[in-house]
Amino acid sequence: MKTASLAIATVLLLAACKGEDPQVAAQAAAAQAAAKEQAAEAMAKQFDDAVVAQNWTLAKAHGEILQIEHPTSAAAERVKPKLDEIKAKAEEAQQTVRLASLWAYGDEPVGKDGHQLSAAIYSQEPVDTDGSGAHPVRLIFRDHPEWGRSSYLVLEAGDFDCYKGCKLKVTVDGKVHTLPGSRPKTDDAIAMFVEDWKGLWKLAKGGKQLSIEFPTKTVGKRTAEFEVGGLDPSKLPKWN
């Protein structure tokens, strides 16, 4: 309906120009301007509705399109002062979704009535842990009905030099902590426990950027970085 009104106004304007009737031309121009304002107001309403719904990404899209398609409209003028704040909220919402997607959660049945719960995240960048090239490092928090709670790192290549225990440098948002580590004597997986699982969980739950420096057998100390800000603590309810 709005598109039809704009088309009619355009036709009237063209007809007026051909006949060179100033009054008709003025009426057609006014009709066209009114139709454009109407279209701008409709888009501004979509912007307002998205803001009410706190759908910042959609609000950002409507606001930007409004500024492009109807830059001189009253609606664009009204929306423009709000747009920077909406853009910031949209970026924050997208970042929240991205960080949450970095975590993987497991819920596996164990025994007759038990469940193993886990929360795992890969390192932000691969790490060379044996001299053959960079590989992902995984950080896992696990709640097992028989083995209890634990936190550990898993390598895809190389090995940890922590069989007799070691001290791990853990940095969260610039603040350095020292936590004990140990490499179990097993070949089932290349894993190393962070013995203070409670402390590491607290740091991961309250931080944004977490790094763990660990010793390897062949290339010395290495550091894995993790973007932990999207952790959902409710996935391991007994840990909180």
Side-chain angles (χ1 to χ4, degrees), residues 152-212:
Y152 53 98
L153 293 176
V154 178
L155 301 181
E156 292 186 2
D159 200 350
F160 296 102
D161 186 15
C162 194
Y163 282 91
K164 296 180 180 180
C166 56
K167 297 295 183 181
L168 306 173
K169 179 182 174 183
V170 179
T171 305
V172 180
D173 299 336
K175 188 173 182 180
V176 179
H177 306 263
T178 301
L179 299 181
S182 67
R183 169 71 160 96
K185 294 180 180 180
T186 174
D187 294 327
D188 292 341
I190 310 170
M192 180 190 66
F193 288 105
V194 180
E195 295 294 349
D196 185 3
W197 54 265
K198 186 182 295 184
L200 186 62
W201 174 257
K202 185 178 179 180
L203 294 175
K205 186 172 65 171
K208 295 180 180 179
Q209 190 76 22
L210 182 148
S211 69
I212 302 177

Side-chain angles (χ1 to χ4, degrees), residues 2 8 23 34 46 71 98 101 104 110 112 139 160 190 193 220 228 238:
K2 297 182 182 72
I8 292 169
Q23 186 177 359
Q46 290 180 309
R98 185 188 72 81
S101 70
V110 175
K112 186 177 180 181
L139 170 62
F160 296 102
I190 310 170
F193 288 105
V228 295
K238 293 181 181 179

Side-chain angles (χ1 to χ4, degrees), residues 45-96:
K45 185 180 185 307
Q46 290 180 309
F47 170 86
D48 292 335
D49 290 345
V51 169
V52 170
Q54 297 188 359
N55 188 333
W56 309 120
T57 301
L58 185 59
K60 173 178 175 285
H62 287 314
E64 289 178 335
I65 293 172
L66 176 59
Q67 300 301 319
I68 293 170
E69 295 188 356
H70 307 284
T72 61
S73 66
E77 190 69 21
R78 186 175 71 253
V79 165
K80 191 174 182 179
K82 307 174 185 177
L83 203 48
D84 284 344
E85 181 183 356
I86 296 303
K87 287 180 180 179
K89 288 183 177 180
E91 290 173 4
E92 183 180 351
Q94 290 170 352
Q95 177 74 343
T96 297

Side-chain angles (χ1 to χ4, degrees), residues 104-110 113-119 141 143 145 234-237:
Y105 302 97
D107 184 347
E108 302 173 16
V110 175
D113 300 311
H115 281 262
Q116 174 180 278
L117 303 179
S118 63
F141 295 96
D143 191 344
S234 69
K235 297 296 185 179
L236 275 69

